[in-house]
Amino acid sequence: MASSRLAFENISKQFPGVKALSEVSFDVAPGEIHALLGENGAGKSTLLRILSGVFRPTEGEVKVDGTAHHFRKPESARQAGIAMIHQELQQVPHLTVAQNMFLGHSLTRFGGVIVNRREQERRAAEALATIDPSINPGAPISSLKVAQRQVVEIARALLDRAKIIAMDEPTSSLTPSEFDRLAKIIEALAAGGVSIIYVSHKMDEVFRVCQRATVMRDGKVVGAGIDLENTASEAIIAMMVGRQLTADEHHSHATDSVSVEVRNLCTHRIRDVSFDLRNGEVLGVAGLVGSGRTELLRALAGADRVTSGIVTIDGTALALSGPRAAIAAGIGLLPEERKREGIIPGRSVVSNMALPSMSRFAKAGIINQSELRRCAEDLLKRVNLKPFQLDRQINLFSGGNQQKAIIARWLAAGSRILLFDEPTRGIDVGAKSEIYHLIEGLAAEGHSVIVVSSELPEVMRVSDRVLVMRNGAIAAELRRDEFNEETIVSHAVGTADSRGAGDQQEQPHV
């Protein structure tokens, strides 16, 4: 279209044995916030890599302001006014904010011999002043919170005079208040004429900030330029997954028998935490970022040192001396930082699945490969791994399928107590539904499950009870008939009358 800022015209991309994209066409107007939606594996990332010059299309062309471009490298896309903000920020931790903003094209003096740091910091400060002047361009990037580091990437795009910014899952690690701040920045950029491509699995965010959407499935566009103001989220989701997702009812499988007793548990981040967990129960843990949710699971998994308190499993006190002791006691953790703490990226899905239980498949130091493969096939079929390629590197699977492989890991290890920390972060709506069914199925088999999630609808969907944490302590315990978002939030921020020592503490930073 002549009026479009960006147009994809019949873009196809062929890899050996796989057609990743097939005749993808849609346009983005100047100053538009355009959602690019689809399940993991739909082709969104491949398309954005073509836009940013990482891949070249097999067929078709990208047009910017009506001019066709054939980007041979990322620098070519940058010069055409295109910026890419990745889900996993492309920053060097030990460099300053300004140095990261000029990464790859430093300002120099004396014939290019010396980097002009003062001028870099001055220009970086000018770019940051328009969106967040509180960020010090001379500070190490590692000293910033994730939300501030996102802002630095946006400022870097402004520094390059970008007129098209693609954002890939920009809020996967942000709190609701941080998203509100980012949304205002995005809306201000659009008001200034910058076109935004916004990739997210969070439908509430998409409908908050985007005007139109393009939906992809299996490398093809199944809906282009959809007017979000006049379209229901259920219709978008059905387009993404190719079927209607119905709202599932929660089914409790909790028994009266207690599997885990926690009494006065303390670490450097949690204090006097006490609760019981029953066989077949799904116990949710809610609270603000920094409230101690993750630290509680890490303490139970032996990853953080316990300074005092008692954890009893089936009546036997557990010495939480480290992860090995927790694994031996039947505890398995799906960590919050899946890519950093949950997998070994370059190894196969089978190898990752067997990590804590390799001794089960080895005799005299020799692994029984046939027995390992038999077990892997059974468990990975059970969790519905897609694609079912056991020798494929785990980092080549979608986030949802990586989570399935980690669940299979703990089933292989015989874990009865499963700790899920943000189990659906960064995964699509279809995979979320599968994870919810897996959690419920595990509870039905008698496993005891604790689920930590920043998404309140998720906590309420899967849980039999919810513990609300504040300042490292339990602020409230809610039965299912007491669940609602307002109640949980009021306990999390300390505006409700709630039990526990957390009532007298200062509220954490949101």
Side-chain angles (χ1 to χ4, degrees):
M1 294 175 60
S3 62
S4 66
R5 169 58 50 77
L6 170 68
F8 295 100
E9 295 190 353
N10 300 310
I11 298 288
S12 295
K13 180 62 180 177
Q14 182 83 36
F15 294 105
V18 178
K19 191 163 190 178
L21 297 174
S22 180
E23 299 182 346
V24 171
S25 297
F26 67 92
D27 68 276
V28 182
E32 178 186 4
I33 308 172
H34 193 106
L36 180 59
L37 306 175
E39 291 189 281
N40 290 327
K44 307 185 302 296
S45 295
T46 302
L47 186 66
L48 293 185
R49 286 180 180 134
I50 288 173
L51 176 64
S52 59
V54 176
F55 292 161
R56 296 184 66 186
T58 308
E59 297 175 10
E61 58 188 11
V62 176
K63 288 185 176 180
V64 178
D65 291 328
T67 301
H69 289 267
H70 301 278
F71 303 129
R72 296 180 178 275
K73 55 185 179 180
E75 180 64 16
S76 303
R78 188 181 73 82
Q79 290 173 353
I82 296 167
M84 180 77 196
I85 298 176
H86 300 269
Q87 179 180 358
E88 295 181 14
L89 298 174
Q90 309 293 298
Q91 295 168 335
V92 182
H94 67 271
L95 296 183
T96 67
V97 168
Q99 287 172 323
N100 272 280
M101 289 174 66
F102 282 91
L103 206 59
H105 50 100
S106 300
L107 299 180
T108 59
R109 54 183 178 170
F110 302 120
V113 176
I114 299 175
V115 173
N116 191 340
R117 292 193 176 186
R118 180 176 295 180
E119 181 63 13
Q120 285 189 168
E121 290 192 8
R122 187 188 69 78
R123 293 195 192 180
E126 284 182 353
L128 287 164
T130 61
I131 47 180
D132 191 346
S134 69
I135 296 175
N136 178 6
I141 198 81
S142 58
S143 68
L144 272 57
K145 294 189 296 185
V146 173
Q148 292 174 308
R149 292 173 64 185
Q150 291 277 17
V151 170
V152 170
E153 287 295 282
I154 294 171
R156 181 182 182 182
L158 295 179
L159 201 62
D160 290 337
R161 294 182 173 82
K163 48 191 176 183
I164 299 163
I165 302 178
M167 298 182 172
D168 188 5
E169 296 285 350
T171 65
S172 61
S173 299
L174 303 189
T175 65
S177 62
E178 288 170 337
F179 163 69
D180 287 339
R181 169 69 176 145
L182 181 63
K184 290 174 183 175
I185 292 172
I186 291 171
E187 289 161 355
L189 289 171
V194 178
S195 299
I196 311 287
I197 297 179
Y198 191 89
V199 177
S200 179
H201 294 307
K202 299 180 180 180
M203 288 296 106
D204 55 339
E205 293 182 3
V206 167
F207 278 84
R208 156 82 186 273
V209 300
C210 301
Q211 291 89 44
R212 294 193 300 157
T214 291
V215 180
M216 296 183 66
R217 187 172 71 246
D218 299 329
K220 300 177 182 178
V221 171
V222 294
I226 301 164
D227 179 7
L228 291 175
E229 188 175 352
N230 297 305
T231 307
S233 61
E234 292 79 10
I236 298 288
I237 292 170
M239 249 185 262
M240 290 167 60
V241 302
R243 64 189 187 280
Q244 198 73 38
L245 284 182
T246 56
D248 296 319
E249 290 186 7
H250 174 78
H251 298 284
S252 177
H253 302 283
T255 67
D256 292 331
S257 60
V258 173
S259 57
V260 182
E261 297 178 39
V262 177
R263 295 292 179 268
N264 305 115
L265 192 67
C266 295
T267 70
H268 67 296
R269 295 292 298 276
I270 62 173
R271 53 194 175 79
D272 292 325
V273 170
S274 298
F275 64 90
D276 290 340
L277 177 66
R278 299 193 293 273
N279 287 305
E281 182 178 25
V282 180
L283 178 65
V285 181
L288 302 178
V289 172
S291 62
R293 304 168 308 174
T294 291
E295 290 76 11
L296 172 60
L297 296 199
R298 287 179 60 84
L300 294 174
D304 284 352
R305 189 173 71 88
V306 172
T307 54
S308 62
I310 299 172
V311 177
T312 302
I313 298 179
D314 295 329
T316 301
L318 173 63
L320 286 173
S321 55
R324 288 183 183 275
I327 292 169
I331 297 173
L333 171 67
L334 282 80
E336 178 184 19
E337 297 288 343
R338 176 179 64 245
K339 293 184 178 179
R340 188 163 61 89
E341 299 177 344
I343 63 171
I344 300 178
R347 291 194 182 180
S348 70
V349 66
V350 171
S351 177
N352 272 272
M353 186 209 77
L355 283 175
S357 54
M358 194 62 79
S359 59
R360 168 185 168 187
F361 306 105
K363 292 182 179 179
I366 300 174
I367 298 171
N368 186 330
Q369 293 290 349
S370 60
E371 185 180 346
L372 171 58
R373 197 165 188 86
R374 231 180 357 257
C375 176
E377 286 179 355
D378 289 345
L379 292 176
L380 292 170
K381 281 179 183 175
R382 180 176 167 188
V383 298
N384 195 28
L385 182 78
K386 297 177 186 175
F388 195 72
Q389 298 173 1
L390 305 188
D391 297 318
R392 191 185 194 196
Q393 288 181 196
I394 195 167
N395 60 309
L396 301 179
F397 286 85
S398 68
N401 283 287
Q402 290 176 15
Q403 288 291 60
K404 292 176 187 177
I406 299 172
I407 293 171
R409 169 189 300 166
W410 297 119
L411 296 179
S415 303
R416 291 179 43 246
I417 299 148
L418 299 172
L419 314 176
F420 288 65
D421 196 354
E422 302 287 0
T424 67
R425 173 171 288 172
I427 69 177
D428 59 66
V429 288
K432 276 189 178 185
S433 181
E434 286 192 84
I435 296 295
Y436 296 161
H437 283 291
L438 275 172
I439 290 171
E440 206 157 77
L442 291 167
E445 294 170 7
H447 292 83
S448 300
V449 184
I450 302 179
V451 175
V452 164
S453 178
S454 299
E455 298 185 30
L456 294 186
E458 178 167 281
V459 171
M460 295 189 292
R461 159 67 181 84
V462 301
S463 304
D464 298 306
R465 286 182 298 144
V466 167
L467 302 179
V468 184
M469 295 194 70
R470 186 172 74 252
N471 296 320
I474 295 176
E477 178 183 318
L478 304 175
R479 301 184 307 273
R480 189 159 183 85
D481 59 2
E482 299 173 306
F483 289 2
N484 65 69
E485 291 193 29
E486 292 77 10
T487 300
I488 293 173
V489 170
S490 66
H491 287 295
V493 300
T495 57
D497 291 329
S498 54
R499 70 168 179 82
D503 295 338
Q504 286 75 41
Q505 303 301 312
E506 293 181 5
Q507 294 179 18
H509 177 72
V510 179

